[in-house]
Amino acid sequence: MRVSVVQMNPGHDKAANIAQARGLMEAAIEADRPQMLVLPEMWTCLGGDRPTKLAAAEALPPAGSHAPGGEAYEFLRDTARRHGVHVHGGSIGEAAGEKLYNTSLAFGPEGQELARYRKVHLFDITTPDGTGYRESATYGGGEAVVTYQAGEIRVGCAICYDVRFPELFLALRRAGAELIMLPAAFTLQTGKDHWEVLIRARAIETQCWFAAPATWGQHQEKAGPRLTYGHSLIADPWGHVVARASDGKGWATARIDPTLTARVRRDMPVLEHRAAARAQY
């Protein structure tokens, strides 16, 4: 399966963000002919204040209902159906009653919804320059470990800050994941030091492919302009980076090879070794 990770520079104008995503996805399809496209975290609305985020959020139709959804939901579904590809829609704001969630959606080539995942670990941190982030002030946290089938490949779901918590990725591997999606909006300060090393570590630990599309550039928050790191990448189960986007908007494409996954897991069966040693720690 050929996978393209799409790197965007979204703002808080939802319509403009959808237009940007459409242009980049269609360009990637034309150039690289992927079977799956992956968007970054919160690509529909990055920046702005809480009312802006609330206005951009969408109530999702009941899972499996085939009922119509909001503008972003229908854009993702239509892109998958029109081009006959899998689309992992990064994440969008999900409105659920009084709560918002940071939620991934995945669609199959016929436009059918395959999965939805609510980000479990919320980004409540202070960066080295003293800038504070408190995702939990706007969003609730999910609880479920989510995988889905895309053709012959089992896909696991994670979002951004989740990458710092290896227990989630071990659970995804145990659930059968071979490819893990990690849409992100990593800050520039944390990204330059931790983005690639964390992804490579999780890939090596789980022996999974990683597709990690990210936002890039300046975004206007209520507190002022903030920067995200970009450097979208795809890593293989040995921890090699096999595709990478440069600065700016764009994409990167690589072929996910199940035979490599099988060989790495056969030659170094870490999951079986972990199970055998469980009583020791």
Side-chain angles (χ1 to χ4, degrees):
M1 175 181 284
R2 288 176 64 79
V3 175
S4 292
V5 290
V6 177
Q7 182 161 292
M8 295 179 58
N9 176 234
H12 54 264
D13 184 330
K14 183 177 178 180
N17 293 336
I18 291 175
Q20 183 184 146
R22 179 181 290 110
L24 289 167
M25 294 170 85
E26 290 182 350
I29 289 168
E30 176 67 24
D32 291 350
R33 300 285 188 255
Q35 286 87 45
M36 175 175 278
L37 295 109
V38 196
L39 292 174
E41 180 184 21
M42 297 306 296
W43 62 273
T44 50
C45 182
L46 194 63
D49 54 15
R50 180 179 172 83
T52 301
K53 292 178 171 66
L54 286 167
E58 297 183 4
L60 302 182
S65 68
H66 304 290
E71 188 178 5
Y73 186 96
E74 290 302 315
F75 162 70
L76 296 171
R77 178 155 65 178
D78 179 66
T79 300
R81 184 169 47 214
R82 192 153 45 87
H83 294 286
V85 296
H86 288 85
V87 171
H88 188 98
S91 73
I92 68 171
E94 177 197 351
E98 297 298 315
K99 288 189 174 182
L100 285 180
Y101 293 95
N102 185 339
T103 300
S104 287
L105 298 162
F107 296 88
E110 296 179 356
Q112 72 277 29
E113 184 185 320
L114 300 177
R116 57 181 69 175
Y117 164 72
R118 291 171 170 172
K119 184 178 182 181
V120 171
H121 301 97
L122 301 180
F123 191 58
D124 290 359
I125 71 109
T126 302
T127 56
D129 69 351
T131 302
Y133 295 83
R134 192 151 300 277
E135 190 176 13
S136 64
T138 303
Y139 298 97
E143 298 178 351
V145 174
V146 176
T147 66
Y148 65 93
Q149 196 69 27
E152 297 181 354
I153 296 177
R154 194 77 187 165
V155 179
C157 298
I159 299 173
C160 199
Y161 190 53
D162 283 337
V163 77
R164 296 180 182 273
F165 301 90
E167 299 87 352
L168 172 61
F169 296 88
L170 177 59
L172 289 170
R173 167 68 197 274
R174 285 177 167 154
E178 302 163 276
L179 166 64
I180 294 175
M181 301 301 190
L182 187 74
F186 244 69
T187 70
L188 176 62
Q189 286 210 328
T190 58
K192 65 184 177 61
D193 294 331
H194 296 166
W195 169 248
E196 182 176 323
V197 69
L198 283 168
I199 294 170
R200 294 182 66 191
R202 299 294 88 83
I204 293 165
E205 290 167 352
T206 62
Q207 301 173 317
C208 288
W209 293 83
F210 268 68
T215 61
W216 169 88
Q218 182 170 293
H219 318 274
Q220 189 65 37
E221 296 277 0
K222 183 178 180 180
R226 295 186 175 179
L227 299 172
T228 55
Y229 181 61
H231 293 78
S232 303
L233 61 84
I234 299 173
D236 72 15
W238 195 249
H240 291 152
V241 175
V242 297
R244 187 197 311 268
S246 186
D247 289 340
K249 295 179 285 188
W251 67 87
T253 303
R255 185 174 67 89
I256 305 303
D257 181 3
T259 62
L260 175 60
T261 311
R263 184 168 69 250
V264 168
R265 294 179 177 187
R266 179 200 67 203
D267 293 347
M268 190 181 291
V270 294
L271 193 63
E272 290 81 357
H273 292 164
R274 181 186 294 268
R278 190 177 300 142
Q280 300 176 25
Y281 53 121

